[in-house]
Amino acid sequence: MSQLEKTRTTVDIYGQQYSIVGTESTSHVRLVASLVDAKMREISAKNPYLDSNKLAVLTAVNTVNDYLKLKEQYEKHEQQVNKEKD
């Protein structure tokens, strides 16, 4: 089994630099970091007194919530397509 090549990408999220190592492309890692940064800034604008730990947790909660909603929509769509096939 061949091992995927890992890359190291440095990104800035909410004023902090992070070095991320993984098999995704640099552009993908930068896109993900940009979306996390944007979500943190959005939440921070609404709650300016949150410390960075609470802000990070709220960002994670919001992101997972969005993911679960999209996953549910996808599954409903998939079920609908399968019904139409039958």
Side-chain angles (χ1 to χ4, degrees):
M1 184 163 114
S2 67
Q3 191 175 15
L4 294 174
E5 187 175 329
K6 291 186 178 183
T7 59
R8 179 181 306 272
T9 306
T10 301
V11 297
D12 186 79
I13 301 173
Y14 203 67
Q16 296 288 319
Q17 290 217 330
Y18 297 88
S19 184
I20 300 175
V21 177
T23 57
E24 299 292 344
S25 69
T26 298
S27 61
H28 179 81
V29 172
R30 287 195 173 129
L31 174 61
V32 170
S34 173
L35 293 171
V36 170
D37 181 70
K39 181 60 89 172
M40 288 183 78
R41 291 180 188 284
E42 175 188 325
I43 293 170
S44 178
K46 295 175 184 174
N47 304 283
Y49 300 107
L50 289 174
D51 64 45
S52 60
N53 288 333
K54 288 183 181 179
L55 179 59
V57 170
L58 284 176
T59 300
V61 168
N62 276 266
T63 302
V64 171
N65 180 56
D66 292 347
Y67 166 76
L68 290 175
K69 285 180 180 179
L70 285 170
K71 183 179 175 190
E72 184 179 305
Q73 288 175 356
Y74 172 79
E75 289 169 352
K76 284 180 182 179
H77 178 71
E78 192 174 42
Q79 288 173 355
Q80 185 177 359
V81 167
N82 287 336
K83 282 183 183 178
E84 290 174 5
K85 284 183 181 179
D86 293 338

